[in-house]
Amino acid sequence: MTAYVISEVEVWDAHAIERYRTLAAQSIALYGGRYLARGGAAELVEGGPPPKALVIVEFPSMQRAHEWYASKEYGEALKVRRTALERRLIFVEGLPVV
């Protein structure tokens, strides 16, 4: 069953975010993930507060998403993330294939 990693981010450092994005993208690919959305326009239709930049990554399974997050490859990106951005990070299971 697929899983999705949803990040709501606020960029702090434009230079550091570029390094983070490079490292994160490389690690995501290693664990079978792919970007579905990466900071495009987000429109609030109901509720609040307004969304910050959103990133959605699809992984083949929740286990694979957790393996990616705990990996040494992503660990390098996490070191940069501390100064690059603030975020909320959510893991959610997808629907079973019918």
Side-chain angles (χ1 to χ4, degrees):
M1 182 179 324
T2 57
Y4 301 92
V5 175
I6 303 167
S7 301
E8 182 180 37
V9 302
E10 180 179 340
V11 175
W12 287 340
D13 181 326
H15 177 71
I17 192 70
E18 290 307 316
R19 179 75 179 133
Y20 169 79
R21 283 180 180 154
T22 299
L23 292 168
Q26 291 169 350
S27 68
I28 287 167
L30 285 174
Y31 286 82
R34 69 182 185 108
Y35 287 97
L36 299 179
R38 194 174 186 190
E43 180 181 339
L44 180 66
V45 178
E46 289 188 24
K52 298 177 183 177
L54 296 172
V55 178
I56 303 171
V57 177
E58 180 183 62
F59 282 93
S61 67
M62 185 67 84
Q63 178 180 341
R64 202 67 175 147
H66 282 285
E67 289 169 356
W68 159 74
Y69 187 74
S71 72
K72 69 179 178 87
E73 295 88 0
Y74 187 60
E76 291 302 309
L78 282 176
K79 291 176 189 173
V80 177
R81 190 208 64 76
R82 292 183 190 115
T83 60
L85 59 99
E86 178 181 75
R87 73 166 171 206
R88 286 179 11 135
L89 187 66
I90 302 162
F91 287 28
V92 61
E93 283 187 338
L95 296 172
V97 177
V98 226

